Amino acid sequence: MSVRTRADLDQLPAYVAGRTVPGSIKLASNEVSAGPLPSVVEAINRAATEVHRYPDIAATKLVDALAARLDVDAARIAVGCGSVALCEQLVQATCTENDEVVFPWRSFEAYPIITQVAGARQVRVPLTEEHALDLDALAAAITPATRMVFVCTPNNPTGTSLRRDELERFLDSVPSDVLVVIDEAYREFVTDPEAPDGVELAQQRENVASLRTFSKAYGLAGLRAGYAVAPPEVAEALRKVYIPFSVNALVQEAAVASLESQQELKARCDEVVAERSRVRGELLGSGYAVPETQANFVWLPLGARTAEFNEHCLDNRVVVRAFEDAGARVTIGTPEENDAFLAAAKSFPAA
Ligand SMILES: *Cc1c(COP(=O)(O)O)cnc(C)c1O
């Protein structure tokens, strides 16, 4: 006899991680190429001698540092083992069987997995023709069974960002007992002055939470920490469903040190932003359609040619993230890495 696992797990889509190919340039997972800041590596090294001790379960130092940095009451902050864990905790905290989670699609690939594992129902709302979130359609998809809506801005994998006024109009239309989760994993790369600030909105509204992460701009993807800014009751619910000690001792120190390095962070993000506009400009000039992006990646909606493009990039030792029959997402790396990608893109035969 074999162990009985849940039958519905057979239908669960697997999370496809960006591939690492030795000897190739990895532009597949939206990491920053520059690595963690030097001061942060020192903090990790110092913390390494203490890993026989359990981490602070409440991550007090990190929560207090975030509260100070963001000028937010600490009671509104919850940390998690990456913001993907916070996504899962939010579904767990709001949904039981047959409750609905509404999200744009295509968007962050963890949303369907997390929703299904929690036993809730997925409601996928297609993007607009311009690869942006369709807020009217998201609002229309909300029913009495809806408990949560994910709003990913800038959207992964398309890079498009919402504007503050359209998001506020949307929030006005959402019933007050439905939680809207603004997933802002790429917020540090946003340069549009009209873009919304989820942390601000989460403090102004009773049913809005903002999720941010140390994985992307801060360069700590391998250590795992993210945070939520939410109404106090939502932050408390997040703490209730937190896996004890899952924000480890190293990342607590690394994240605090990262928050102290705002100038270096800014310089890094500026470089990514400059390269982002160069890469997009060259792609547009070569005839590719590339939606305007506010993140550290570009989206090439290649449809049926995606697999072929992916193979061509691999042949040129560049690893991108291909979404079958939809498009390729390409992370902005160093200028040299981007040049290698652009060379591959320019030598891809036109259809
Ligand atoms: C990368 C990403 C996350 C999760 O990052 P963590 O490493 O789990 O903090 C969350 N949302 C979106 C949209 C992302 O792209």
Side-chain angles (χ1 to χ4, degrees), residues 51-313:
V51 294
H52 57 305
R53 305 292 181 195
Y54 275 98
D56 174 2
I57 193 165
T60 314
K61 225 171 110 181
L62 175 54
V63 169
D64 288 348
L66 284 165
R69 166 70 44 200
L70 301 166
D71 195 18
V72 169
D73 186 354
R76 293 178 170 273
I77 296 173
V79 293
C81 182
S83 60
V84 69
L86 290 162
C87 291
E88 180 162 86
Q89 286 167 259
L90 284 165
V91 177
Q92 286 174 335
T94 56
C95 294
T96 55
E97 219 175 333
N98 296 328
D99 290 336
E100 290 172 359
V101 179
V102 172
F103 51 83
W105 196 252
R106 182 168 287 279
S107 187
F108 186 36
E109 67 177 316
Y111 301 154
I113 301 173
I114 283 166
T115 305
Q116 192 178 327
V117 169
R121 280 207 282 241
Q122 308 173 31
V123 180
R124 300 181 181 195
V125 176
L127 302 180
T128 67
E129 300 268 304
E130 288 78 41
H131 313 284
L133 302 202
D134 188 338
L135 289 175
D136 291 339
L138 282 166
I142 294 172
T143 74
T146 307
R147 292 289 167 274
M148 223 181 90
V149 183
F150 280 113
V151 171
C152 187
T153 184
N155 187 45
N156 176 4
T158 60
T160 56
S161 170
L162 293 172
R163 293 278 166 91
R164 189 185 303 119
D165 54 351
E166 58 177 344
L167 179 57
E168 298 226 50
R169 245 179 290 125
F170 167 77
L171 293 174
D172 289 341
S173 76
V174 175
S176 59
D177 62 347
V178 173
L179 179 66
V180 179
V181 178
I182 307 176
D183 186 343
E184 302 186 293
Y186 303 95
R187 187 63 179 81
E188 293 83 0
F189 302 109
V190 170
T191 51
D192 179 359
E194 303 281 311
D197 181 339
V199 167
E200 212 174 271
L201 293 167
Q203 292 181 89
Q204 293 163 351
R205 295 178 184 251
E206 299 286 304
N207 65 332
V208 173
S210 160
L211 296 184
R212 296 194 182 170
T213 178
F214 288 97
S215 295
K216 305 287 162 52
Y218 285 100
L220 297 179
L223 273 189
R224 318 299 306 133
Y227 58 96
V229 176
E233 307 73 45
V234 175
E236 194 186 319
L238 277 170
R239 288 190 279 271
K240 284 186 183 163
V241 295
Y242 172 68
I243 295 180
F245 309 113
S246 57
V247 176
N248 69 66
L250 297 183
V251 81
Q252 291 189 29
E253 293 297 330
V256 169
S258 296
L259 288 171
E260 285 162 6
S261 312
Q262 292 297 317
Q263 267 176 339
E264 289 104 312
L265 178 81
K266 170 88 172 56
R268 258 184 190 202
C269 290
D270 288 349
E271 271 174 47
V272 169
V273 166
E275 279 294 287
R276 169 175 87 195
S277 61
R278 179 178 77 93
V279 169
R280 178 165 180 260
E282 291 204 27
L283 289 170
L284 291 175
S286 305
Y288 286 93
V290 186
E292 197 183 335
T293 171
Q294 288 285 304
N296 67 335
F297 54 84
V298 288
W299 174 245
L300 283 67
L302 296 160
R305 295 199 79 203
T306 303
E308 198 187 330
F309 183 82
N310 187 38
E311 285 305 314
H312 177 78
C313 288

